[in-house]
Amino acid sequence: MKKILVAAITYVVFFSVPATANNNRSLADLTSKCPQKIRTEFYKNLFFVNGFLAAIKAEGLEKCASSDAADILGDRLASFRKNVNKDYRNYDCVCNKYGRLGCKGTKEDSICDTFTCWGDCDYAEKKYSFSERYMHSSYLFGKMPEKTALEFIGSLNLSKGRVTQITVNRDLMKYLNGKEISEMIAVLMGAHWRTAERARAMLNYMANCGKVGKEHAPSEKRAGDMKRKYKELFGGLKLRFGRYDNETLLDFWNIYKTLISSTGEREYLSKAETVFKNLAMRGVQKKKCGKAASGTCVEELFELYMRLGESFGAKRLKKEYPGILKNRIIPER
């Protein structure tokens, strides 16, 4: 999760992701050549999950959507043609009777992104709430005049399906109160983005911790400083790793990996294990854990176990991932 930038200009407030703000376009750009009827139906049938567009109604878009539709919606949702992306066609993002959010055959000409539409449902079917991480655009049309809702939805900027900029103008503020707007932004930009912003701040602090010119502070002091900074940023917070996007999860993984490597203490291991379990649920654990990672998340967790002398955890992990860890040796004690 990138840092959120907030800038107010005469009753217009922009919420954007600076790193990608110049590499995205709005839904109004996507549908600029579409008839009003198609555009309206499209805007009324958008389902957002934790900062991403998870399902759309694609009827009519094949003939009128802009050529960069994949850059805006992502490859899965931009597969408008009937013979493309068959596994996702005529499915919508809904909660089922077992309390799981997933793609379900409900509407003709709809497309669902199974990668984004997943996880536990917090509410019964069709009763999504701003207080968590799901939102159907039809909610807005029930709260305000159609013209206001159309203008707001059209102003949303996306990059590969990720909402990167929101424009809240004076007209919208007539129909949504401050709490509703705040909760809506949390859903559209990604739930718990403030926590994700702190995770990024922690990583930046770690990268520069102890640097004084060309010299470095003693390792003991650096470790102590990192522990104090972590407590300052996250002390007292209930971290809900299952609700964060993959990027934020990987940020937390690297935070705990660094803390364990620097301090040699076990107190962060349970957090690291919880993050790993969530990465494994999404099939990310077998990939490199970040740009600077030398190996997969599996290999890194194995190294953390070995560093802490947790042979039981290392043996269990090796049994679970024999292919990845086949050359790793666990010394007999």
Side-chain angles (χ1 to χ4, degrees), residues 38 46 84-85 116 136 140 166 175 221 262 295 310:
I38 292 177
L46 304 174
V84 177
N85 220 13
T116 301
H136 196 286
L140 296 174
I166 299 173
Y175 306 101
K221 184 179 185 307
S262 299
E310 296 283 347

Side-chain angles (χ1 to χ4, degrees), residues 28 55 62-63 70 77 104 113 134 180 201 267-268 288 309-310 319 322:
E62 179 183 355
K63 297 180 180 180
L77 295 184
K104 181 180 179 182
D113 183 350
Y134 318 127
E180 289 173 320
E267 63 176 294
Y268 304 106
K288 285 191 175 183
E310 296 283 347
K319 184 177 181 180

